[in-house]
C-alpha cells in the first residue's frame, strides 16, 4: 500500500502549531432533547442522561470512521515530510470525553478546551460532551486538527458520527501507482507546470507585499504572541431572514452582509470600550475560500481573499457597499492570486522547509493578516445524535500568533451562528463583542426598512 504523505498545506498546519497556539478547528453543537427517553436503566437503576448516551454513541461510532483512526508520523523521505498511518492502539476513550463542568453556558466551558492542544501522538481529533444543568441538556465540542481537515472536511467527519448522517464521506485521497517511464513521458508538461507555479508564487508574493504592513490596527486585535494561550469562546445566533432582508435591499451576497456585520460590530465594540476611533484603511481580514469540488475529500483545499474592513466608515450601508465592492474585486481576480492566496505558497515549499520554518511562519501571521473571518456552509439537513436534535452550531477557528480574535460563521436551519474565539487575556469582554453583532444587524435592518 502506497504511503499517503500530508499535502504541503496540511504539513504547514501541522508544523506551525505551538502549545500556546494550537491549530485545531472546532464546532460547538448544542443539542435539544424533548425529554427523557427512559425512566430506568437495565438493572432498574437510573437511566443515563442525554450526555452519557451521546458520549457512548460517539465512542461506539468513531472506530468505524477510517479518517478518525489515523495519526501523523514523521517519515525518513522526503526529509521533513510526514504521513498518515493507522493507529494500531486506537482507543475511543482517548478521544471522546464526558465533561461535567458545572457551567450552564457551554460556550464558557468550551474556552479552556479550545486552548488545550490535541495529543500529537494520537489521531488528531477529540469530542467533548458537555453535560448540561439537567439530565437532558448537553452540547458537544468537536476538535479537528487543521492538518486533518478544513471546515468542510471537519463537517464530513462530524456528520459520520451523527444519527443517519448526511452522505458526507471522509476518505484518504488515493495515491496513484506510477508505471515505469510514466514520469519521463510527463516531463514536458511537468516542467511547464513548474514554470506556471513559479509565476503564480511570484504574483502572490508581490500581492502580499502590496497589501501593506499591519499599521493602524486597533490594539484590541493584537495579542501578546508570547502569552500562555488562554482562550475565550462566545457565540451569537441571528435570524437568516433578517440578513436576507438587508441583502435584497442593499445588494451583494449573504456573505457580504455577514462580513459587514463583523466590521460594524468591531467598530461599535471599540467605541463602547473607549478605544480611539478607527482611522485609515482598516484591519486586514483573511476570508478563506474552499477549492475542493466535494465535501468528502480529506485534508485542506484552501485559498483566500484579503479584505480591508472599513471600520472608519460611519455609515453602515456605505460600509456594506465598500465590502461588497472589495469582495467583487477579489472574486474577479479569483482565489488563485492576490494576497489572500498566501496558503497556496505552501505548495512551493520543500517538506524540510515546513519543518524548519514552521515556527517562523507562525510568528509571521501578523504580517499577513489581522483577523480571520471564515464561513463554513452547512447542508440543509437536521443533525441528531441519539435522537437529540442539534439546535445550534457554532464554528470555531484557530487563533494565529499575535492575533486576539478569530470569527467563524455558519448557517443552520434558517439561523446564522457566529462563533468567536479570542485570546482571553487580550479580549476579556468577548461577550460584549457578541452583543455588538446583534446590535449591528439591527441597525442594518432599520436602515433598509
Amino acid at each position: 500500500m502506497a504511503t499517503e504523505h500530508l499535502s504541503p498545506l496540511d504539513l504547514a498546519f501541522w508544523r506551525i502549531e505551538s502549545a500556546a497556539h494550537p491549530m485545531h478547528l472546532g464546532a460547538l453543537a448544542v443539542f435539544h432533547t424533548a425529554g427523557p427517553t427512559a425512566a430506568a436503566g437495565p438493572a432498574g437503576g437510573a437511566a443515563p442522561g442525554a450526555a452519557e448516551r451521546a458520549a457512548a454513541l460517539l465512542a461506539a461510532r468513531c472506530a468505524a470512521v477510517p479518517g478518525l483512526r489515523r495519526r501523523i508520523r514523521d517519515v525518513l523521505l522526503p526529509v521533513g515530510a510526514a504521513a498518515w498511518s493507522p493507529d494500531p492502539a486506537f482507543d475511543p476513550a482517548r478521544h471522546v470525553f464526558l465533561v461535567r463542568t458545572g457551567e450552564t453556558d457551554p460556550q464558557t466551558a468550551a474556552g479552556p478546551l479550545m486552548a488545550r492542544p490535541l495529543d500529537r501522538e494520537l489521531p488528531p481529533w477529540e469530542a467533548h460532551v458537555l453535560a448540561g444543568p439537567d439530565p437532558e441538556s448537553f452540547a458537544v465540542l468537536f476538535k479537528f486538527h487543521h492538518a486533518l481537515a478544513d471546515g468542510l472536511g471537519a463537517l464530513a467527519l462530524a456528520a459520520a458520527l451523527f444519527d443517519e448522517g448526511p452522505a458526507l464521506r471522509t476518505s484518504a485521497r488515493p495515491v496513484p501507482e506510477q508505471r515505469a517511464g510514466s514520469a519521463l513521458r510527463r516531463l514536458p508538461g511537468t516542467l511547464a507546470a513548474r514554470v506556471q507555479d513559479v509565476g503564480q508564487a511570484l504574483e502572490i508574493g508581490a500581492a502580499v507585499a502590496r497589501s501593506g504592513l499591519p499599521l493602524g490596527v486597533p490594539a484590541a486585535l493584537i495579542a501578546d504572541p508570547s502569552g500562555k494561550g488562554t482562550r475565550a469562546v462566545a457565540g451569537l445566533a441571528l435570524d437568516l431572514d433578517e440578513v436576507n432582508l438587508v441583502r435584497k435591499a442593499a445588494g451583494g451576497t449573504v456573505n457580504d452582509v455577514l462580513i459587514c456585520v463583523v466590521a460594524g460590530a468591531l467598530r461599535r465594540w471599540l467605541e463602547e470600550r473607549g478605544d480611539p476611533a478607527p482611522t485609515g484603511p482598516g484591519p486586514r481580514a483573511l476570508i478563506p475560500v474552499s477549492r475542493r469540488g466535494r465535501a468528502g475529500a480529506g485534508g485542506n483545499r484552501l485559498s483566500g481573499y484579503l479584505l480591508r474592513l472599513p471600520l472608519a466608515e460611519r455609515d453602515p450601508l456605505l460600509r456594506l457597499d465598500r465590502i461588497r465592492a472589495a469582495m467583487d474585486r477579489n472574486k474577479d481576480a479569483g482565489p488563485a492570486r492576490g494576497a489572500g492566496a498566501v496558503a497556496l505558497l505552501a505548495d512551493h515549499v520543500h517538506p524540510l522547509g515546513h519543518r524548519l520554518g514552521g515556527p517562523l511562519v507562525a510568528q509571521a501571521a501578523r504580517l499577513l493578516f489581522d483577523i480571520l473571518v471564515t464561513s463554513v456552509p452547512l447542508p440543509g439537513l437536521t443533525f441528531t445524535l441519539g435522537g437529540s436534535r442539534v439546535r445550534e452550531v457554532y464554528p470555531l477557528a484557530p487563533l494565529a500568533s499575535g492575533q486576539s480574535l478569530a470569527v467563524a460563521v455558519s448557517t443552520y436551519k434558517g439561523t446564522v451562528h457566529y462563533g468567536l474565539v479570542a485570546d482571553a487575556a487580550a479580549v476579556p469582554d468577548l461577550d460584549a463583542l457578541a452583543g455588538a453583532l446583534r446590535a449591528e444587524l439591527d441597525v442594518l435592518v432599520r436602515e433598509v426598512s
Side-chain angles (χ1 to χ4, degrees), residues 83-379:
W84 292 103
S85 65
D87 183 355
F90 179 77
D91 182 1
R94 304 182 76 177
H95 297 274
V96 179
F97 306 95
L98 180 62
V99 183
R100 302 185 187 279
T101 65
E103 296 284 354
T104 57
D105 182 1
Q107 294 165 355
T108 302
L113 295 173
M114 283 297 291
R116 185 191 308 168
L118 295 166
D119 189 331
R120 293 171 68 89
E121 297 299 315
L122 300 175
W125 71 277
E126 291 175 352
H128 298 265
V129 181
L130 311 177
D134 61 79
E136 297 305 317
S137 64
F138 70 99
V140 180
L141 174 65
F142 294 99
K143 294 168 56 177
F144 299 102
H145 200 285
H146 220 323
L148 173 63
D150 56 20
L152 287 175
L155 168 64
L157 288 166
L161 302 175
F162 290 139
D163 303 339
E164 300 178 4
L168 298 173
R169 296 289 180 259
T170 57
S171 60
R173 291 188 294 275
V175 179
E177 295 182 2
Q178 296 186 4
R179 298 179 180 178
S182 61
L184 183 61
R185 289 193 298 271
R186 293 197 306 271
L187 184 58
T190 300
L191 291 176
R194 289 287 184 184
V195 172
Q196 183 178 10
D197 288 347
V198 170
Q200 181 191 45
L202 291 174
E203 183 177 0
I204 294 172
V208 170
R210 292 193 302 269
S211 69
L213 294 174
L215 301 176
V217 179
L221 295 182
I222 303 174
D224 182 356
S226 63
K228 296 182 179 179
T230 55
R231 294 289 179 267
V233 168
L236 184 74
L238 300 175
D239 191 339
L240 181 59
D241 287 342
E242 292 184 326
V243 175
N244 276 317
L245 177 66
V246 175
R247 176 189 62 82
K248 292 176 182 177
T253 67
V254 165
N255 202 42
D256 294 340
V257 178
L258 297 178
I259 296 172
C260 182
V261 168
V262 172
L266 286 173
R267 177 187 171 88
R268 179 183 301 272
W269 174 61
L270 292 170
E271 288 178 342
E272 292 174 349
R273 287 164 57 106
D275 289 359
T279 59
R284 300 159 304 165
L286 179 63
I287 316 292
V289 177
S290 175
R291 296 188 300 127
R292 68 173 65 251
R294 61 189 183 91
N300 289 268
R301 296 282 296 168
L302 290 173
S303 183
Y305 298 138
L306 200 67
L307 171 71
R308 289 279 186 177
L309 297 178
L311 302 194
E313 176 56 63
R314 302 183 64 88
D315 187 299
L317 292 184
L318 289 179
R319 197 157 50 234
L320 176 55
D321 285 342
R322 291 181 59 180
I323 288 172
R324 181 181 60 203
M327 286 298 289
D328 286 345
R329 289 193 295 270
N330 277 323
K331 293 170 188 174
D332 289 342
R337 54 175 55 90
V342 66
L344 301 183
L345 294 179
D347 293 339
H348 305 283
V349 178
H350 188 276
L352 184 59
H354 285 298
R355 184 167 189 172
L356 298 179
L360 294 177
V361 172
Q363 294 299 320
R366 278 276 296 116
L367 299 177
L368 302 175
F369 64 98
D370 306 306
I371 182 174
L372 179 71
V373 182
T374 183
S375 178
V376 182
L378 298 180

